Amino acid sequence: MNTSTKQELQFVDAAGVKELIEKQQVHLIDVREISEYAGENIPGSQVLPLSQFQPEKIKLVPGKQVVIYCQSGNRSNKAAQKLIQSGFVDFCQLQGGITAWKQSGYPTQVNKNAPISIMQQVQIVAGFLVFIGTVLGAFVSPWFLILSGFVGAGLVFAGVTNTCAMGMLLAKLPYNQRG
């Protein structure tokens, strides 16, 4: 297993996680949202979304290493900070998340009936709002251009802070809660 320390955080690469899975020595936790997990996940993993993340929900199993992962590592870093703050130290993160897992050629479970990703939903809704704001601004009243500007400002804020209010709202919709 290839681990390294970075600000008290432990990382394991995809090959290390694969080895732990094969030896049945891993408790793999996906901290992405339920809809993302439902669409694609690493076989044998459990979902515990960052938006509802509570360290006390993690069950320690003797002989099994707790490994958390997300899409690329950003959300698992946030989950790791919550774990450290609660005194939980015996865990590591899949370096690069499920993206690195797939790039290594390892299998995932894909559900073709799952809702589209939250990011795609955000792009569709934001694009639609900008389009509608622009059309209404051009043909009805220039005041509708405020809608396009508001959405654009929201996207800039989301990019700078790495948080997306629209994504968080969309994640709460019933069809995104199916697991």
Side-chain angles (χ1 to χ4, degrees):
M1 182 166 48
N2 178 17
T3 58
S4 63
T5 303
K6 180 182 175 191
Q7 300 177 6
E8 298 182 45
L9 301 179
Q10 297 276 328
F11 294 91
V12 61
D13 62 14
V17 172
K18 178 73 169 156
E19 183 180 322
L20 289 170
I21 289 171
E22 289 169 352
K23 293 180 179 178
Q24 298 181 345
Q25 295 177 338
V26 68
H27 181 75
L28 195 55
I29 300 170
D30 189 329
V31 298
R32 297 174 304 147
E33 292 305 313
I34 291 171
S35 62
E36 293 173 280
Y37 178 84
E40 183 175 32
N41 62 72
I42 297 173
S45 62
Q46 167 194 356
V47 65
L48 189 55
L50 181 62
S51 63
Q52 304 164 21
F53 194 78
Q54 296 174 7
E56 59 273 9
K57 288 187 177 181
I58 296 178
K59 307 278 190 282
L60 291 177
V61 180
K64 292 199 176 191
Q65 172 70 47
V66 172
V67 177
I68 59 175
Y69 77 93
C70 63
Q71 189 68 37
S72 62
N74 291 332
R75 287 176 280 183
S76 65
N77 275 334
K78 292 177 183 176
Q81 294 301 328
K82 288 183 177 188
L83 287 170
I84 290 170
Q85 289 170 356
S86 72
F88 196 108
V89 292
D90 192 21
F91 72 95
C92 56
Q93 296 177 70
L94 170 56
Q95 191 165 28
I98 195 170
T99 300
W101 177 265
K102 293 189 306 186
Q103 287 173 346
S104 297
Y106 298 130
T108 59
Q109 289 179 340
V110 177
N111 178 357
K112 301 287 184 195
N113 296 324
I116 62 174
S117 75
I118 296 294
M119 186 51 64
Q120 279 183 286
Q121 292 178 47
V122 167
Q123 291 169 336
I124 290 167
V125 172
F128 178 74
L129 290 173
V130 168
F131 175 74
I132 290 298
T134 303
V135 168
L136 292 174
F139 296 110
V140 177
S141 167
W143 286 101
F144 281 107
L145 293 173
I146 292 172
L147 175 62
S148 299
F150 181 74
V151 172
L155 291 171
V156 170
F157 179 78
V160 170
T161 63
N162 198 26
T163 58
C164 182
M166 187 183 300
M168 289 186 273
L169 287 172
L170 289 169
K172 294 183 185 309
L173 292 174
Y175 63 85
N176 285 323
Q177 296 299 312
R178 292 185 293 165

